[in-house]
Amino acid sequence: MPRWARELLGVATALAISVAVVAATASSPRSELLFRDGDSLVTSLVIHSLAVAQPQDWAMSSVLFLPEIAVLWALSLFGLGTDGTLTLAGVVNLVALYGALRVAAGASAIARAPIAGALVGLGVFGAVAATEWSPSRDALELASLTTTTTYYSATVVGAVLAVGLVRRGIDRVRSRAGGSDAGSRSAVPWGAVAGVGAVAAASVLSNPLFAAWATVPLALVLAIVGLSERAAWWLAGGLVAGSILGFVGRMPLAHLIANTGAGYADPTQWAASLDYYGALLAERWSAPWGAASVIVIALLWGWCVSACVLLVRRRDVGAAVVAACGWVVPLVVVVGAIALGTHAARYLQPVVFAPLLGLVVLPELLPRALPAARRGTVVGATAVALTAAVALGIPRIAATAPDADLACVVDWVGKSGRTGAGQFWTVRLPKTHLADPRALVQVDHELRGYAWLVNRDDFGVGEVSFLVIDAQTPAFALPGERTMTDAALVPCGRYTIADFGDEALPLGPQRS
């Protein structure tokens, strides 16, 4: 079968897996994180703000979501609506992860069955994601976070891609040298050096967490490989230089960063951090299928250690680097997260995606006598997988019940022609679904502009005339002598609109 046909079949199979995984996530309680979580909607809010030609003055976290926003904007051109676009983005994220795994699996001319290895990795990742059903962003359910646009999906893909580019560079040098250690010491894989530098620069520019997930652990691995492979030093140099360039590139964007993230680290809290992550692990272990997923990840981590040893003995340096990253990256990230006293499950995503690297090198270690798959069998299996995913997955996604309460708020606000406000966890979902997101302003309980993951241009309106509240809204302390009893209450299911009519409520100064 021609190489292009094999690659196309690999992408088609990856698409089938991705549709199935997103369908499972979208039809489970985890859909709360995909479609309705306040944090998850920031990229959609950016797209809608751009669509109405609003001046852009965002208050972001340390993560700028630049690749995610660019992809979501392109997907929004299909006109699928907010939920449809987010669903499509989840599929694209997983297909992109397959692409990164495919790069890490090596070139077809050098590696053995690289497409199969990448598909096995994505399949296991998808199986783990499909077992994650908690609606909580704080659960230790890390694989399904890649289906969202705001929990570092681009950083996940970038980290795996960086490992893959390093492997390609080392493989290319050794291939040109005929596998000779002496011949490979003087060559420099300039293309791979530039590529890994570009990935690092773009990733750090958007999310400095890339430095912890990829730059530090991969540089450690390359430093050891550099004892026998000169190319490793060049690749490590490209990785570090690109990361530094990414940090420099963030300086002109400092006005967009409301929180640098420095406050999230407190090394004195390492014991509390250990207890926190331990409690999350215990909770995950007790969840349905949770123990199975934990065991799978643990086995993959152990396999990465074994595969690394076997590949080093075979002097397959490129594949050994990939396998080494499969166990070094999670180890460095977990130890670092605890040592810094962090308390956020999303920081530990490498625990799930990095061990997949052990699967992409699995074909290299299988017996050479295995029979080759026939073309008809491969094409048929791919067609069946894609058809099943589309036939079963899309109806499950489309069957999501409409949110009548949300529609009530959106319709009322749209017809009012006025501007209202609400607190972070309450207002962001209705705000995202409005034709013009400026009609709802994000405030705190004292009606001060809450400048967090929102366009600060919203606060220029100066005053509002109604409030959107729900069960999780803390009680408002309104300015002057106004109280909530002065408002006419409009019920919208789980929401209530407190309408003050012609009486304007002035917005207080911004806070973050």
Side-chain angles (χ1 to χ4, degrees), residues 132-186:
E132 299 176 350
W133 304 326
S134 171
S136 173
R137 74 188 63 83
D138 296 321
L140 200 64
E141 299 184 358
L142 307 176
S144 55
L145 294 181
T146 305
T147 64
T148 73
T149 60
T150 50
Y151 286 104
Y152 320 151
S153 56
T155 310
V156 171
V157 173
V160 177
L161 183 58
V163 175
L165 290 172
V166 165
R167 188 238 172 109
R168 294 291 182 110
I170 293 174
D171 282 351
R172 188 172 296 114
V173 166
R174 292 185 67 83
S175 177
R176 289 175 180 174
S180 167
D181 291 340
S184 65
R185 289 192 183 110
S186 60

Short mmCIF file of all heavy atoms in Angstrom, two decimals, residues 132-186:
data_model
loop_
_atom_site.label_atom_id
_atom_site.label_comp_id
_atom_site.label_asym_id
_atom_site.label_seq_id
_atom_site.Cartn_x
_atom_site.Cartn_y
_atom_site.Cartn_z
N GLU A 132 -13.98 8.70 32.36
CA GLU A 132 -13.98 9.87 33.23
C GLU A 132 -15.34 10.56 33.14
O GLU A 132 -15.70 11.10 32.09
CB GLU A 132 -12.84 10.81 32.84
CG GLU A 132 -11.48 10.14 32.98
CD GLU A 132 -10.30 10.98 32.52
OE1 GLU A 132 -10.54 12.04 31.91
OE2 GLU A 132 -9.16 10.57 32.76
N TRP A 133 -16.08 10.56 34.24
CA TRP A 133 -17.46 11.02 34.23
C TRP A 133 -17.75 12.13 35.22
O TRP A 133 -18.88 12.61 35.30
CB TRP A 133 -18.40 9.84 34.51
CG TRP A 133 -18.23 8.69 33.58
CD1 TRP A 133 -17.91 8.75 32.25
CD2 TRP A 133 -18.36 7.29 33.88
NE1 TRP A 133 -17.83 7.50 31.70
CE2 TRP A 133 -18.11 6.57 32.68
CE3 TRP A 133 -18.68 6.58 35.03
CZ2 TRP A 133 -18.16 5.18 32.62
CZ3 TRP A 133 -18.73 5.21 34.97
CH2 TRP A 133 -18.48 4.51 33.78
N SER A 134 -16.78 12.55 35.99
CA SER A 134 -17.04 13.56 37.01
C SER A 134 -17.23 14.94 36.37
O SER A 134 -16.50 15.31 35.47
CB SER A 134 -15.88 13.64 38.00
OG SER A 134 -16.05 14.75 38.87
N PRO A 135 -18.21 15.73 36.86
CA PRO A 135 -18.37 17.09 36.34
C PRO A 135 -17.38 18.08 36.94
O PRO A 135 -17.34 19.25 36.53
CB PRO A 135 -19.81 17.44 36.76
CG PRO A 135 -20.03 16.66 38.01
CD PRO A 135 -19.27 15.37 37.82
N SER A 136 -16.55 17.64 37.88
CA SER A 136 -15.66 18.54 38.59
C SER A 136 -14.36 18.78 37.84
O SER A 136 -13.72 17.85 37.34
CB SER A 136 -15.33 17.97 39.98
OG SER A 136 -14.34 18.74 40.63
N ARG A 137 -13.94 20.03 37.79
CA ARG A 137 -12.65 20.38 37.18
C ARG A 137 -11.49 19.97 38.08
O ARG A 137 -10.34 19.94 37.63
CB ARG A 137 -12.60 21.89 36.91
CG ARG A 137 -12.41 22.74 38.13
CD ARG A 137 -12.55 24.21 37.86
NE ARG A 137 -13.89 24.54 37.42
CZ ARG A 137 -14.93 24.74 38.25
NH1 ARG A 137 -14.74 24.61 39.56
NH2 ARG A 137 -16.10 25.03 37.79
N ASP A 138 -11.76 19.67 39.34
CA ASP A 138 -10.72 19.32 40.30
C ASP A 138 -10.52 17.82 40.43
O ASP A 138 -9.69 17.37 41.22
CB ASP A 138 -11.06 19.91 41.67
CG ASP A 138 -11.07 21.43 41.66
OD1 ASP A 138 -10.20 22.01 40.99
OD2 ASP A 138 -11.96 22.03 42.29
N ALA A 139 -11.30 17.02 39.70
CA ALA A 139 -11.13 15.57 39.77
C ALA A 139 -9.84 15.16 39.05
O ALA A 139 -9.38 15.84 38.13
CB ALA A 139 -12.33 14.87 39.12
N LEU A 140 -9.26 14.05 39.48
CA LEU A 140 -8.05 13.55 38.85
C LEU A 140 -8.44 12.73 37.61
O LEU A 140 -8.06 11.57 37.46
CB LEU A 140 -7.25 12.69 39.84
CG LEU A 140 -5.77 12.49 39.52
CD1 LEU A 140 -5.04 13.82 39.56
CD2 LEU A 140 -5.12 11.52 40.50
N GLU A 141 -9.20 13.38 36.74
CA GLU A 141 -9.63 12.78 35.47
C GLU A 141 -9.02 13.63 34.37
O GLU A 141 -9.59 14.63 33.93
CB GLU A 141 -11.15 12.74 35.41
CG GLU A 141 -11.75 11.89 36.53
CD GLU A 141 -13.26 11.74 36.43
OE1 GLU A 141 -13.87 12.33 35.50
OE2 GLU A 141 -13.84 11.02 37.26
N LEU A 142 -7.83 13.25 33.95
CA LEU A 142 -6.96 14.14 33.19
C LEU A 142 -7.02 13.96 31.69
O LEU A 142 -6.74 14.89 30.94
CB LEU A 142 -5.51 13.95 33.68
CG LEU A 142 -5.31 14.09 35.20
CD1 LEU A 142 -3.87 13.78 35.57
CD2 LEU A 142 -5.70 15.47 35.67
N ALA A 143 -7.37 12.77 31.22
CA ALA A 143 -7.37 12.53 29.77
C ALA A 143 -8.47 13.33 29.09
O ALA A 143 -8.25 13.93 28.03
CB ALA A 143 -7.53 11.04 29.49
N SER A 144 -9.65 13.38 29.69
CA SER A 144 -10.77 14.08 29.07
C SER A 144 -10.56 15.59 29.00
O SER A 144 -11.25 16.28 28.25
CB SER A 144 -12.07 13.77 29.82
OG SER A 144 -11.94 14.08 31.20
N LEU A 145 -9.63 16.14 29.77
CA LEU A 145 -9.35 17.58 29.70
C LEU A 145 -8.86 17.99 28.32
O LEU A 145 -9.03 19.14 27.91
CB LEU A 145 -8.31 17.97 30.76
CG LEU A 145 -8.72 17.83 32.23
CD1 LEU A 145 -7.58 18.28 33.13
CD2 LEU A 145 -9.98 18.62 32.52
N THR A 146 -8.28 17.06 27.58
CA THR A 146 -7.78 17.38 26.24
C THR A 146 -8.92 17.63 25.26
O THR A 146 -8.70 18.21 24.20
CB THR A 146 -6.88 16.24 25.74
OG1 THR A 146 -5.85 16.01 26.70
CG2 THR A 146 -6.20 16.59 24.42
N THR A 147 -10.13 17.22 25.59
CA THR A 147 -11.27 17.51 24.71
C THR A 147 -11.76 18.94 24.87
O THR A 147 -12.60 19.39 24.08
CB THR A 147 -12.43 16.54 24.97
OG1 THR A 147 -12.92 16.74 26.32
CG2 THR A 147 -11.99 15.10 24.82
N THR A 148 -11.29 19.68 25.88
CA THR A 148 -11.71 21.06 26.10
C THR A 148 -10.74 22.00 25.40
O THR A 148 -9.66 21.61 24.97
CB THR A 148 -11.77 21.40 27.59
OG1 THR A 148 -10.42 21.52 28.11
CG2 THR A 148 -12.51 20.33 28.37
N THR A 149 -11.14 23.28 25.33
CA THR A 149 -10.26 24.28 24.69
C THR A 149 -9.53 25.14 25.71
O THR A 149 -8.77 26.02 25.31
CB THR A 149 -11.09 25.20 23.78
OG1 THR A 149 -12.09 25.87 24.57
CG2 THR A 149 -11.76 24.42 22.67
N THR A 150 -9.72 24.88 27.00
CA THR A 150 -9.11 25.76 28.00
C THR A 150 -8.32 25.02 29.08
O THR A 150 -7.86 25.65 30.03
CB THR A 150 -10.18 26.61 28.70
OG1 THR A 150 -11.24 25.76 29.14
CG2 THR A 150 -10.74 27.64 27.76
N TYR A 151 -8.17 23.73 28.94
CA TYR A 151 -7.36 23.01 29.92
C TYR A 151 -6.10 22.45 29.26
O TYR A 151 -5.77 21.28 29.39
CB TYR A 151 -8.19 21.93 30.63
CG TYR A 151 -9.15 22.53 31.62
CD1 TYR A 151 -10.51 22.62 31.32
CD2 TYR A 151 -8.71 23.05 32.83
CE1 TYR A 151 -11.39 23.20 32.23
CE2 TYR A 151 -9.59 23.63 33.73
CZ TYR A 151 -10.92 23.70 33.43
OH TYR A 151 -11.79 24.28 34.31
N TYR A 152 -5.45 23.34 28.48
CA TYR A 152 -4.08 23.13 28.00
C TYR A 152 -3.96 22.07 26.91
O TYR A 152 -2.93 21.39 26.81
CB TYR A 152 -3.13 22.81 29.15
CG TYR A 152 -3.36 23.60 30.41
CD1 TYR A 152 -3.04 23.06 31.66
CD2 TYR A 152 -3.87 24.89 30.37
CE1 TYR A 152 -3.24 23.79 32.83
CE2 TYR A 152 -4.07 25.62 31.53
CZ TYR A 152 -3.76 25.07 32.76
OH TYR A 152 -3.96 25.79 33.90
N SER A 153 -4.98 21.91 26.07
CA SER A 153 -4.90 20.90 25.01
C SER A 153 -3.74 21.18 24.07
O SER A 153 -3.04 20.25 23.64
CB SER A 153 -6.21 20.85 24.23
OG SER A 153 -6.55 22.13 23.69
N ALA A 154 -3.51 22.46 23.72
CA ALA A 154 -2.40 22.78 22.82
C ALA A 154 -1.05 22.47 23.47
O ALA A 154 -0.10 22.08 22.78
CB ALA A 154 -2.46 24.25 22.42
N THR A 155 -0.96 22.63 24.78
CA THR A 155 0.29 22.33 25.48
C THR A 155 0.54 20.83 25.52
O THR A 155 1.69 20.38 25.41
CB THR A 155 0.24 22.90 26.90
OG1 THR A 155 -0.17 24.27 26.85
CG2 THR A 155 1.61 22.83 27.57
N VAL A 156 -0.53 20.04 25.67
CA VAL A 156 -0.40 18.58 25.61
C VAL A 156 0.16 18.16 24.25
O VAL A 156 1.13 17.40 24.16
CB VAL A 156 -1.77 17.91 25.85
CG1 VAL A 156 -1.69 16.41 25.57
CG2 VAL A 156 -2.23 18.15 27.28
N VAL A 157 -0.44 18.68 23.18
CA VAL A 157 0.02 18.34 21.84
C VAL A 157 1.44 18.83 21.62
O VAL A 157 2.28 18.12 21.06
CB VAL A 157 -0.94 18.94 20.78
CG1 VAL A 157 -0.39 18.73 19.37
CG2 VAL A 157 -2.33 18.32 20.90
N GLY A 158 1.74 20.04 22.07
CA GLY A 158 3.07 20.60 21.89
C GLY A 158 4.15 19.80 22.61
O GLY A 158 5.25 19.60 22.07
N ALA A 159 3.85 19.31 23.81
CA ALA A 159 4.83 18.53 24.57
C ALA A 159 5.15 17.22 23.86
O ALA A 159 6.32 16.83 23.73
CB ALA A 159 4.32 18.26 25.98
N VAL A 160 4.12 16.52 23.39
CA VAL A 160 4.34 15.26 22.67
C VAL A 160 5.06 15.52 21.34
O VAL A 160 5.96 14.77 20.95
CB VAL A 160 3.00 14.54 22.41
CG1 VAL A 160 3.21 13.28 21.60
CG2 VAL A 160 2.33 14.19 23.74
N LEU A 161 4.68 16.61 20.67
CA LEU A 161 5.32 16.94 19.40
C LEU A 161 6.79 17.26 19.57
O LEU A 161 7.63 16.87 18.74
CB LEU A 161 4.60 18.14 18.77
CG LEU A 161 5.08 18.60 17.39
CD1 LEU A 161 4.98 17.47 16.38
CD2 LEU A 161 4.30 19.82 16.93
N ALA A 162 7.15 17.95 20.66
CA ALA A 162 8.55 18.25 20.93
C ALA A 162 9.37 16.98 21.08
O ALA A 162 10.48 16.86 20.54
CB ALA A 162 8.67 19.13 22.18
N VAL A 163 8.84 16.01 21.82
CA VAL A 163 9.52 14.72 21.96
C VAL A 163 9.68 14.04 20.60
O VAL A 163 10.74 13.50 20.27
CB VAL A 163 8.74 13.81 22.93
CG1 VAL A 163 9.38 12.42 22.99
CG2 VAL A 163 8.70 14.41 24.32
N GLY A 164 8.61 14.10 19.80
CA GLY A 164 8.67 13.48 18.48
C GLY A 164 9.70 14.12 17.58
O GLY A 164 10.43 13.42 16.85
N LEU A 165 9.81 15.43 17.60
CA LEU A 165 10.80 16.12 16.75
C LEU A 165 12.23 15.79 17.19
O LEU A 165 13.13 15.67 16.35
CB LEU A 165 10.55 17.63 16.80
CG LEU A 165 9.27 18.11 16.10
CD1 LEU A 165 9.03 19.58 16.38
CD2 LEU A 165 9.37 17.87 14.59
N VAL A 166 12.41 15.66 18.49
CA VAL A 166 13.73 15.25 18.99
C VAL A 166 14.07 13.87 18.47
O VAL A 166 15.19 13.61 18.00
CB VAL A 166 13.76 15.31 20.53
CG1 VAL A 166 14.97 14.55 21.08
CG2 VAL A 166 13.78 16.74 21.01
N ARG A 167 13.13 12.95 18.55
CA ARG A 167 13.37 11.60 18.05
C ARG A 167 13.69 11.62 16.56
O ARG A 167 14.62 10.93 16.10
CB ARG A 167 12.13 10.73 18.30
CG ARG A 167 12.38 9.25 17.99
CD ARG A 167 11.42 8.70 16.95
NE ARG A 167 11.80 7.36 16.53
CZ ARG A 167 11.13 6.25 16.84
NH1 ARG A 167 10.04 6.32 17.56
NH2 ARG A 167 11.56 5.09 16.39
N ARG A 168 12.94 12.40 15.78
CA ARG A 168 13.18 12.47 14.34
C ARG A 168 14.59 12.99 14.05
O ARG A 168 15.27 12.51 13.15
CB ARG A 168 12.14 13.39 13.68
CG ARG A 168 10.70 12.87 13.71
CD ARG A 168 10.51 11.67 12.83
NE ARG A 168 9.13 11.20 12.81
CZ ARG A 168 8.32 11.30 11.77
NH1 ARG A 168 8.74 11.84 10.64
NH2 ARG A 168 7.07 10.83 11.83
N GLY A 169 15.01 14.01 14.83
CA GLY A 169 16.35 14.56 14.61
C GLY A 169 17.44 13.55 14.88
O GLY A 169 18.39 13.40 14.10
N ILE A 170 17.32 12.81 15.99
CA ILE A 170 18.33 11.81 16.33
C ILE A 170 18.32 10.67 15.31
O ILE A 170 19.37 10.20 14.86
CB ILE A 170 18.09 11.28 17.75
CG1 ILE A 170 18.36 12.39 18.77
CG2 ILE A 170 18.97 10.07 18.04
CD1 ILE A 170 18.01 12.02 20.20
N ASP A 171 17.12 10.22 14.93
CA ASP A 171 17.02 9.14 13.94
C ASP A 171 17.65 9.55 12.61
O ASP A 171 18.34 8.75 11.96
CB ASP A 171 15.55 8.78 13.70
CG ASP A 171 14.97 7.91 14.82
OD1 ASP A 171 15.75 7.46 15.68
OD2 ASP A 171 13.75 7.68 14.81
N ARG A 172 17.42 10.78 12.20
CA ARG A 172 17.94 11.23 10.91
C ARG A 172 19.47 11.27 10.92
O ARG A 172 20.12 10.85 9.97
CB ARG A 172 17.38 12.62 10.59
CG ARG A 172 17.71 13.10 9.17
CD ARG A 172 16.97 14.38 8.84
NE ARG A 172 15.53 14.15 8.82
CZ ARG A 172 14.67 14.69 9.69
NH1 ARG A 172 15.13 15.47 10.66
NH2 ARG A 172 13.39 14.43 9.60
N VAL A 173 20.04 11.75 12.03
CA VAL A 173 21.49 11.81 12.14
C VAL A 173 22.09 10.41 12.10
O VAL A 173 23.06 10.14 11.38
CB VAL A 173 21.89 12.55 13.43
CG1 VAL A 173 23.37 12.32 13.74
CG2 VAL A 173 21.62 14.04 13.29
N ARG A 174 21.52 9.49 12.85
CA ARG A 174 22.06 8.13 12.91
C ARG A 174 21.83 7.40 11.59
O ARG A 174 22.64 6.56 11.19
CB ARG A 174 21.42 7.38 14.08
CG ARG A 174 21.84 7.92 15.43
CD ARG A 174 21.29 7.08 16.57
NE ARG A 174 21.87 5.75 16.60
CZ ARG A 174 23.04 5.44 17.15
NH1 ARG A 174 23.78 6.38 17.70
NH2 ARG A 174 23.47 4.19 17.15
N SER A 175 20.73 7.71 10.91
CA SER A 175 20.47 7.07 9.62
C SER A 175 21.50 7.50 8.59
O SER A 175 22.01 6.69 7.81
CB SER A 175 19.07 7.43 9.13
OG SER A 175 18.82 6.90 7.86
N ARG A 176 21.83 8.77 8.58
CA ARG A 176 22.83 9.27 7.64
C ARG A 176 24.21 8.71 7.94
O ARG A 176 25.05 8.56 7.05
CB ARG A 176 22.87 10.79 7.68
CG ARG A 176 21.63 11.45 7.07
CD ARG A 176 21.67 12.95 7.25
NE ARG A 176 20.50 13.59 6.67
CZ ARG A 176 20.21 14.87 6.78
NH1 ARG A 176 21.04 15.66 7.47
NH2 ARG A 176 19.14 15.37 6.21
N ALA A 177 24.43 8.42 9.22
CA ALA A 177 25.74 7.87 9.62
C ALA A 177 25.76 6.36 9.52
O ALA A 177 26.73 5.72 9.93
CB ALA A 177 26.07 8.31 11.04
N GLY A 178 24.68 5.76 9.00
CA GLY A 178 24.61 4.31 8.87
C GLY A 178 24.55 3.60 10.20
O GLY A 178 24.95 2.44 10.30
N GLY A 179 24.02 4.28 11.23
CA GLY A 179 23.92 3.66 12.55
C GLY A 179 25.21 3.69 13.34
O GLY A 179 25.27 3.20 14.46
N SER A 180 26.24 4.29 12.78
CA SER A 180 27.54 4.34 13.45
C SER A 180 27.55 5.42 14.53
O SER A 180 27.19 6.57 14.27
CB SER A 180 28.64 4.63 12.43
OG SER A 180 29.85 4.98 13.05
N ASP A 181 27.98 5.07 15.73
CA ASP A 181 28.07 6.05 16.80
C ASP A 181 29.09 7.14 16.45
O ASP A 181 28.86 8.32 16.67
CB ASP A 181 28.48 5.38 18.11
CG ASP A 181 27.37 4.50 18.65
OD1 ASP A 181 26.21 4.69 18.25
OD2 ASP A 181 27.67 3.61 19.48
N ALA A 182 30.20 6.73 15.87
CA ALA A 182 31.25 7.68 15.54
C ALA A 182 30.78 8.64 14.45
O ALA A 182 31.02 9.85 14.51
CB ALA A 182 32.50 6.94 15.08
N GLY A 183 30.07 8.10 13.46
CA GLY A 183 29.62 8.94 12.36
C GLY A 183 28.53 9.91 12.76
O GLY A 183 28.37 10.97 12.15
N SER A 184 27.74 9.57 13.79
CA SER A 184 26.63 10.42 14.19
C SER A 184 27.05 11.54 15.12
O SER A 184 26.27 12.45 15.38
CB SER A 184 25.54 9.58 14.86
OG SER A 184 26.03 9.04 16.07
N ARG A 185 28.28 11.50 15.62
CA ARG A 185 28.69 12.48 16.62
C ARG A 185 28.90 13.87 16.02
O ARG A 185 28.79 14.88 16.71
CB ARG A 185 29.98 12.02 17.31
CG ARG A 185 29.77 10.83 18.23
CD ARG A 185 30.97 10.59 19.11
NE ARG A 185 30.78 9.40 19.95
CZ ARG A 185 31.44 8.27 19.79
NH1 ARG A 185 32.35 8.17 18.83
NH2 ARG A 185 31.21 7.24 20.57
N SER A 186 29.24 13.95 14.75
CA SER A 186 29.57 15.24 14.15
C SER A 186 28.42 15.90 13.41
O SER A 186 28.48 17.07 13.06
CB SER A 186 30.75 15.07 13.17
OG SER A 186 30.40 14.15 12.15
#
